[in-house]
Amino acid sequence: MSKLTRVRLENFTAFSSLDETFSSGVNVIIGTNGTGKTHLLKVLYAACAVTTGEDSLKGFATKLLGVFNPYQSRMTRLIRRQQGLPAASVTVRRDDGSFIKAIINNQRAEAKDVTVTGEKRWQTEGLEAAYIPVKEMLAHSPGFLSTASKREIAFEDVYVDIIKKAYLPKLRGKVDAHRSRLLSLLQKAIDGKVIAKNEHFFLKNAQGDLEFSLLAEGMRKLALVWLLIQNGTLLEGSVLFWDEPEANLNPALMGEVVEVILELQRLDVQVFLTTHNYVLLKEFDLRRKDNDALRFISLYRDENKDVASHATDDYSDIEPNALAGVFTDLYDREIERSFGDM
């Protein structure tokens, strides 16, 4: 199965110019607010989404519009704000040599006017993908899809898409040992299994069926990953995008989250995630094994205030590492307070 290998963005949203390569395993994206971490995930997800299902009929430009949901659905809102408003371009490549590219002209406001190249070959091989947004959606799923199909709602496509994937029934056939281990690991973390009844999700355990609206939000996200593994969305050759896995999650569970992500990578699932959390970031460094494919991508503002990137496969070489810097600063202030009067 082919993997995403590279992205190039020109004058697109927060990016003046970005050219970055990826690991075939886990890609951990860090950076301060406003450096485009989520935008990068959405671009890559849109490129994957148009290779399968109904999104393949819509095309890349329409999917970009759906995952970003700009004001008045105007494509020109995705062009980086600067004098002259030059055209923006988005290019995503795979290791099989295929690519997909969209050019957004500043005079063309609608998706149908965006120039897309490479799409036919790009779509010859499907890339099954799931995007887990920061906001958990399973507790709000009853009636959501029917509303979204008939009404204009202020939700990006990623919210609609993840609910659709969560509703998929259990994959037919015997569960292999690797998937079984992952499911067991998650079941231990959430203390049960997930079931769906009449568009409602429940956590089923020894105490009975507990509706998702009564569960902690962090637990719901782990339950969602359990569903995606159980129903076969996350299998060999698929891609997982996870925006801030640490959101509303107890730090004690972050090690288990990282272990699940690393195990998915060992099953040939390519993973892209963003994080603002030092504990989660450091867990990857401490839990990785020699054969794990792991890449850290740091987005930052350069001297011209443009977004730049630095990538490395070695945690100690992350530069800049804003998360470690904040942790070190806290530690130094604690030491200073403790020994300041001595």
Side-chain angles (χ1 to χ4, degrees):
M1 302 295 288
S2 61
K3 303 286 186 181
L4 300 179
T5 57
R6 189 174 185 177
V7 67
R8 184 169 184 178
L9 306 175
E10 298 288 339
N11 299 315
F12 185 81
T13 65
F15 303 98
S16 173
S17 180
L18 180 76
D19 191 348
E20 190 56 75
T21 57
F22 304 121
S23 164
S24 61
V26 181
N27 297 272
V28 182
I29 304 168
I30 67 170
T32 58
N33 290 330
T35 51
K37 300 182 297 299
T38 297
H39 287 191
L40 183 55
L41 256 59
K42 287 183 174 181
V43 164
L44 298 173
Y45 172 70
C48 292
V50 297
T51 66
T52 60
E54 60 186 33
D55 285 323
S56 64
L57 303 176
K58 298 176 182 177
F60 189 37
T62 299
K63 194 60 181 178
L64 281 173
L65 194 64
V67 298
F68 282 95
N69 193 27
Y71 179 64
Q72 294 183 336
S73 296
R74 295 179 63 84
M75 292 296 295
T76 51
R77 304 283 300 176
L78 301 181
I79 300 177
R80 181 173 175 267
R81 309 301 162 80
Q82 57 186 302
Q83 188 174 4
L85 206 64
S89 67
V90 175
T91 308
V92 183
R93 296 184 179 275
R94 295 195 297 208
D95 58 7
D96 62 0
S98 64
F99 74 93
I100 191 166
K101 180 176 183 178
I103 300 176
I104 306 170
N105 190 286
N106 64 359
Q107 301 299 320
R108 298 172 178 173
E110 298 183 20
K112 65 181 179 64
D113 297 317
V114 174
T115 302
V116 178
T117 55
E119 192 162 36
K120 186 174 181 180
R121 183 186 173 193
W122 180 263
Q123 293 180 326
T124 56
E125 181 182 341
L127 275 175
E128 185 68 47
Y131 187 112
I132 302 178
V134 176
K135 176 64 179 174
E136 189 281 322
M137 288 301 296
L138 297 194
H140 311 287
S141 59
F144 186 88
L145 294 183
S146 59
T147 301
S149 67
K150 298 177 181 179
R151 299 285 188 271
E152 293 287 343
I153 58 175
F155 284 90
E156 303 98 304
D157 275 6
V158 294
Y159 295 101
V160 176
D161 292 352
I162 196 60
I163 293 177
K164 287 181 179 178
K165 292 182 184 298
Y167 277 138
L168 289 174
K170 181 181 178 180
L171 191 67
R172 180 175 294 179
K174 185 178 179 181
V175 178
D176 61 74
H178 294 295
R179 283 175 61 221
S180 180
R181 181 180 182 278
L182 275 171
L183 291 170
S184 296
L185 187 64
L186 283 163
Q187 284 168 209
K188 182 179 179 181
I190 64 178
D191 189 29
K193 298 181 179 181
V194 185
I195 61 173
K197 295 188 291 187
N198 300 320
E199 293 193 351
H200 291 261
F201 288 97
F202 297 83
L203 178 67
K204 185 179 184 64
N205 57 24
Q207 283 71 49
D209 299 345
L210 184 65
E211 54 267 45
F212 265 40
S213 59
L214 300 181
L215 280 179
E217 186 165 337
M219 298 297 284
R220 294 179 222 157
K221 287 188 177 181
L222 294 179
L224 171 58
V225 177
W226 185 91
L227 277 171
L228 296 176
I229 294 171
Q230 187 213 40
N231 66 27
T233 298
L234 296 180
L235 289 178
E236 178 183 354
S238 62
V239 189
L240 171 62
F241 300 91
W242 198 344
D243 202 357
E244 297 182 28
E246 73 275 6
N248 299 303
L249 190 68
N250 189 305
L253 288 174
M254 290 185 190
E256 280 80 358
V257 171
V258 169
E259 195 60 42
V260 167
I261 291 171
L262 290 173
E263 281 293 326
L264 285 170
Q265 168 261 158
R266 293 162 193 153
L267 293 177
D268 202 30
V269 175
Q270 191 175 21
V271 181
F272 294 83
L273 64 91
T274 69
T275 183
H276 284 288
N277 190 277
Y278 172 77
V279 174
L280 190 85
L281 181 67
K282 190 60 181 176
E283 284 283 6
F284 277 107
D285 179 43
L286 297 175
R287 290 176 180 264
R288 70 181 302 178
K289 297 179 180 178
D290 290 342
N291 293 328
D292 289 335
L294 187 60
R295 190 164 180 82
F296 301 99
I297 301 171
S298 177
L299 300 179
Y300 63 95
R301 296 277 179 180
D302 63 17
E303 63 275 7
N304 297 318
K305 303 301 181 181
D306 291 329
V307 175
S309 68
H310 175 261
T312 176
D313 297 339
D314 189 337
Y315 174 86
S316 62
D317 290 335
I318 299 175
E319 181 62 37
N321 189 342
L323 303 184
V326 171
F327 179 84
T328 301
D329 180 63
L330 285 172
Y331 181 77
D332 289 345
R333 287 159 58 195
E334 176 70 18
I335 293 298
E336 182 179 359
R337 186 179 67 174
S338 300
F339 295 98
D341 296 331
M342 296 182 64

